[in-house]
Amino acid sequence: MKAPISSYLDTILDEVRYQDAGSNADYIPELANKDPNSLGAAMCTTSGHIYSAGDAEVEFSIQSISKPFIYAMAVQEHGIDVVSEIVGMEPSGEAFNELSLDREGHRPVNPMINAGAIAVTQLIGGTGATVEDRIEMIRAFLSEMACRQLRVDYDLCDSELQYADRNLSLAHMLRNYDIIQDDAHDAVVSYTAQCSVMVTTRDLAFMSAVLANGGVHPLNGKRVLEPDVCRLTLAVMSSAGMYDQAGRWMAHVGIPAKSGVSGGLLGTLPGQLGFASYSPRLNEYGNSVRGVRIFKLLSKDMGLHLMAADDRAGVDAVRSIVTYQEDTVVTLQGMINFNSAESILYELSQHEISGDHVIFDMTRVSGIRRMGRFLLKEGMHLLEEKGFRISIVDPDDHVPDYRTVDGTEIHVNEQESAPFATEREDDRYHDDDCPDPDEGPQPPAWEG
Ligand code: GLU
């Protein structure tokens, strides 16, 4: 039986297959001659599960989809301050190859337009690197993201270079303002080779999933990028990734994305998944016609719009508060972030706690954010000040120490709480066995 998600991708492809509007980029034969009917889609979750449909294994040149990755690579290598000296992060609202720089620093406005991308490529490997060094570092980095060895198509690259007058003029302009130091021709050669790295739709889904996963490759667990570099890259993608269609894209699709002139389209849902599509026919903005349609369907069907609050309410952080004689067990669940910690504190403040012992059962907690931990400890501290003894069941060590922000140590008892621990395995995998939260767990045997 086909996995439901793969079948869903097949359905999406069937829904857009009939659309034959737009046309292949035709400024070089290698793009003009690509089969305009090719159609592929792939999705990779942050757990490394990959689903694909259609022509997901067909190779095409990465083109502008390389831009966010090389920006991330440069920020990782030099830090955002150095990178910001040569490129901004404002949406331009202009075409990708516009000859535009900001007024003050004469920097390209963002790394997703060609001027910005050419400037960023020159940072890779530092000023001492040769063109060959840079190309190899870029190829190797993109290969690491794709989890397979990628190659540069030098025939395509040569072909692009014959039509590179506009990019050359951008490079001369950048050199004139000291944004790049390389010879203008060299700068365009490294940038064009970067655009000529060959990928498949599946490769792009993996690469996107690395960004979605905060820089850790979901397939091999290797850290490729720092989390703040991924966040920054996704932020720039969301405001400038779709050429001059970026505003409408965020309104209607709401997925940080980057498209390329060969017909690829890559989108990233932070913390969830990477998605990619391939269909070479482009609209007037240079984005794949069927790719845009696929992303619209995906965003709507799966509720993936980044700005949608409806699907993100998640589970209540407090599963139950149950009192047995002197003991009150507060069972927490899910991810404890600012929002859920706030709701825990609120629930506790509304609850009339009898007895003198509060036990926090964190067996069902899947993760905790810094702010969540901070607020939770402050809540425990407050309870202690009110005269309650505090215990915690924390098998995954979500709260490794009990110091509050002012240095006070909360006197947490780990031994006394053990009999209250939720039976995690049973509860997680056999939903039917979950105790009805209204009834609460049975009193532990030693209570008698
Ligand atoms: N090689 C192309 C250029 O720089 C890439 C353009 C694109 O994908 O938008 O002109």
Side-chain angles (χ1 to χ4, degrees), residues 211-261:
L211 293 179
N213 203 30
V216 173
H217 205 297
L219 283 195
N220 56 21
K222 202 168 147 198
R223 175 160 294 288
V224 189
L225 289 168
E226 291 305 317
D228 50 349
V229 173
C230 293
R231 193 175 59 218
L232 185 72
T233 305
L234 289 173
V236 176
M237 263 164 74
S238 68
S239 63
M242 294 297 285
Y243 306 125
D244 29 356
Q245 206 178 8
R248 258 159 299 171
W249 177 265
M250 268 324 268
H252 297 303
V253 180
I255 299 176
K258 187 70 203 86
S259 62
V261 74

Side-chain angles (χ1 to χ4, degrees), residues 27 63-64 67 96 114 160 167 191 195 243 259-262:
Y27 65 96
Q63 301 288 355
S64 278
K67 290 171 181 170
F96 71 103
N114 282 15
E160 289 256 5
N167 284 340
Y191 164 74
C195 292
Y243 306 125
S259 62
V261 74
S262 50

Side-chain angles (χ1 to χ4, degrees), residues 189-405:
V189 171
S190 3
Y191 164 74
T192 308
Q194 162 190 322
C195 292
S196 309
V197 170
M198 300 301 284
V199 289
T200 66
T201 315
R202 271 172 77 93
D203 293 332
L204 291 182
F206 284 138
M207 295 165 77
S208 176
V210 180
L211 293 179
N213 203 30
V216 173
H217 205 297
L219 283 195
N220 56 21
K222 202 168 147 198
R223 175 160 294 288
V224 189
L225 289 168
E226 291 305 317
D228 50 349
V229 173
C230 293
R231 193 175 59 218
L232 185 72
T233 305
L234 289 173
V236 176
M237 263 164 74
S238 68
S239 63
M242 294 297 285
Y243 306 125
D244 29 356
Q245 206 178 8
R248 258 159 299 171
W249 177 265
M250 268 324 268
H252 297 303
V253 180
I255 299 176
K258 187 70 203 86
S259 62
V261 74
S262 50
L265 187 43
L266 166 148
T268 309
L269 250 294
Q272 296 191 58
L273 52 91
F275 189 85
S277 64
Y278 172 61
S279 168
R281 280 192 287 254
L282 309 179
N283 64 19
E284 72 262 43
Y285 304 105
N287 297 319
S288 164
V289 174
R290 296 193 293 192
V292 170
R293 184 79 197 124
I294 288 171
F295 269 76
K296 279 187 180 163
L297 287 170
L298 188 81
S299 167
K300 190 161 143 269
D301 290 353
M302 295 176 65
L304 294 181
H305 198 298
L306 210 57
M307 306 301 166
D310 40 354
D311 283 347
R312 290 199 222 305
V315 291
D316 289 336
V318 177
R319 185 180 171 93
S320 59
I321 302 181
V322 183
T323 301
Y324 313 108
Q325 297 168 5
E326 296 305 302
D327 306 298
T328 296
V329 182
V330 182
T331 304
L332 306 180
Q333 62 184 0
M335 169 61 77
I336 311 288
N337 55 17
F338 168 78
N339 241 308
S340 40
E342 184 278 334
S343 74
I344 295 167
L345 299 190
Y346 181 82
E347 291 263 345
L348 284 173
S349 73
Q350 300 297 301
H351 199 90
E352 195 80 35
I353 304 178
S354 54
D356 67 347
H357 184 201
V358 180
I359 300 123
F360 288 89
D361 180 359
M362 300 188 62
T363 315
R364 294 166 183 272
V365 169
S366 54
I368 190 159
R369 297 260 179 259
R370 200 157 56 100
M371 196 61 184
R373 187 179 296 117
F374 160 76
L375 286 178
L376 190 61
K377 287 201 281 189
E378 290 303 308
M380 291 176 180
H381 184 35
L382 270 177
L383 286 170
E384 191 175 44
E385 282 189 334
K386 286 187 183 163
F388 293 100
R389 282 181 296 124
I390 307 293
S391 295
I392 188 165
V393 184
D394 186 15
D396 294 326
D397 224 12
H398 292 302
V399 185
D401 69 76
Y402 306 118
R403 250 184 329 279
T404 61
V405 75

